[in-house]
Amino acid sequence: MQVLQNGRFAVSTWSLHRLLGAVYGYSPDPGKSAAPKEPYGPGGAALIDMPAALAVRGIYRLEVCSFHLPSLDAAYLTELSDAMAASNVLFQTLLVEDGDPSHPETAERDVRWMAEWIDIAAALGAQRMRVIAGKQKPTEENLARAARHLGWLAEKAEGSGVRVVVENWFDLLPSPVEMNWLLDRLDGKVGLNGDLGNWAAPEKYPGLADIMRRAEICHAKADYNAVGLDAEDYRKCLEMCETAGYAGPFTLIYDSPFFPDEWDGILLQMAFIEDFLREAPARRSA
């Protein structure tokens, strides 16, 4: 599929969670229900309409949170894939939003559940499937357990056309030390989705400069304060990506009540990054 115009930008459905409304709590935990809930309100649009909504705004990559899929039936997956193709929107990543491969008691159950999403990602035409690396504390035992299970998951994905990636997220990966150890241990079988907003400043800046050299995709989450987007922090994060040589796409993550219309936040962040990238030659020659 040809990706047109703003090929370096994607949008995650998390950035539109108020617009989309209902979430479906798919989980490996049998005690949890996948029945729809509306913690962010009833919403005003359907997931199936998002590819066209992106294309109208000149964005041609989409990431979908697993809990935004209203059905896992083959017919619906085909319908969504067809809607993506009709708008020439690339399914960049299916974000699998539950499971813990580092858990001492439920890791095997959880990773087998994650493996069930490989066929779903493939049916949707997703390039990647982002899973949670682990939620436990970064002990040697927990890291090794996560690495073992993630390696098994990557083997299950071989031949599917879907690449498994993890994110610098949750307690297992609090710094570049653990992130790099895990990626080294997996030896290229699992990729990295670097997130600009998961680690706290000021430590996150050198951390991002370290790990973004290994990232294939990037969750470009911006922070907001009382007056709007925290431009100083966002620019610094982007500078760390530049320092690391990151040249992949930026997934626009808007997660703030500042703009009632989530598209306003998404498009502001895209314009900010476009300006930053446009200034790159001047920075290199300075």
Side-chain angles (χ1 to χ4, degrees):
M1 178 190 298
Q2 183 185 8
V3 179
L4 303 176
Q5 296 183 26
N6 283 320
R8 287 202 71 180
F9 292 100
V11 169
S12 165
T13 57
W14 176 247
S15 300
L16 297 163
H17 61 268
R18 296 197 302 269
L19 178 65
L20 291 172
V23 295
Y24 303 79
Y26 306 113
S27 174
D29 184 346
K32 293 183 179 179
S33 169
K37 297 180 177 63
E38 296 181 349
Y40 314 112
L47 176 60
I48 200 79
D49 299 322
M50 290 306 98
L54 284 177
V56 165
R57 294 166 173 85
I59 302 171
Y60 292 88
R61 291 171 176 264
L62 178 64
E63 294 196 343
V64 175
C65 299
S66 56
F67 52 65
H68 278 140
L69 289 168
S71 172
L72 303 183
D73 290 344
Y76 178 79
L77 301 181
T78 298
E79 185 181 0
L80 180 56
S81 179
D82 288 347
M84 302 281 287
S87 294
N88 202 32
V89 171
L90 177 71
F91 204 127
Q92 181 169 283
T93 316
L94 175 63
L95 307 167
V96 178
E97 301 286 12
D98 206 342
D100 183 358
S102 68
H103 196 285
E105 297 174 2
T106 60
E108 185 169 345
R109 178 200 70 182
D110 288 9
V111 79
R112 290 186 181 279
W113 174 83
M114 288 175 170
E116 295 173 5
W117 287 88
I118 296 169
D119 286 344
I120 297 170
L124 290 167
Q127 286 186 330
R128 295 175 178 84
M129 184 177 86
R130 192 273 281 133
V131 299
I132 296 167
K135 300 179 181 180
Q136 306 308 303
K137 296 298 182 183
T139 65
E140 183 176 344
E141 183 180 10
N142 289 337
L143 281 161
R145 182 182 301 110
R148 182 171 69 254
H149 288 302
L150 290 167
W152 176 85
L153 184 65
E155 290 176 2
K156 285 293 185 182
E158 288 180 3
S160 68
V162 178
R163 177 160 168 78
V164 176
V165 298
V166 293
E167 187 175 332
N168 53 313
W169 194 22
F170 287 116
D171 285 354
L172 189 74
L173 302 174
S175 82
V177 173
E178 296 82 10
M179 187 79 256
N180 285 318
W181 183 93
L182 183 66
L183 293 174
D184 287 345
R185 186 70 170 265
L186 290 165
D187 194 26
K189 294 178 181 178
V190 171
L192 172 61
N193 169 39
D195 190 295
L196 306 186
N198 285 345
W199 290 345
E203 292 83 1
K204 74 173 178 178
Y205 303 125
L208 291 171
D210 186 327
I211 69 165
M212 288 307 295
R213 63 192 166 87
R214 310 183 74 155
E216 302 172 11
I217 50 177
C218 171
H219 278 176
K221 181 181 178 182
D223 287 336
Y224 286 76
N225 51 38
V227 297
L229 187 149
D230 187 339
E232 182 179 357
D233 173 77
Y234 209 32
R235 176 173 291 276
K236 185 70 171 176
C237 289
L238 295 172
E239 287 172 351
M240 296 304 99
C241 292
E242 187 175 62
T243 297
Y246 178 73
F250 291 98
T251 302
L252 302 162
I253 305 291
Y254 173 68
D255 182 15
S256 169
F258 187 83
F259 291 109
D261 186 336
E262 289 163 309
W263 287 114
D264 290 340
I266 290 167
L267 295 177
L268 174 66
Q269 291 174 204
M270 183 168 73
F272 189 100
I273 297 174
E274 286 179 321
D275 288 344
F276 178 86
L277 296 175
R278 198 175 297 118
E279 296 162 3
R283 286 193 298 274
R284 286 194 291 267
S285 62

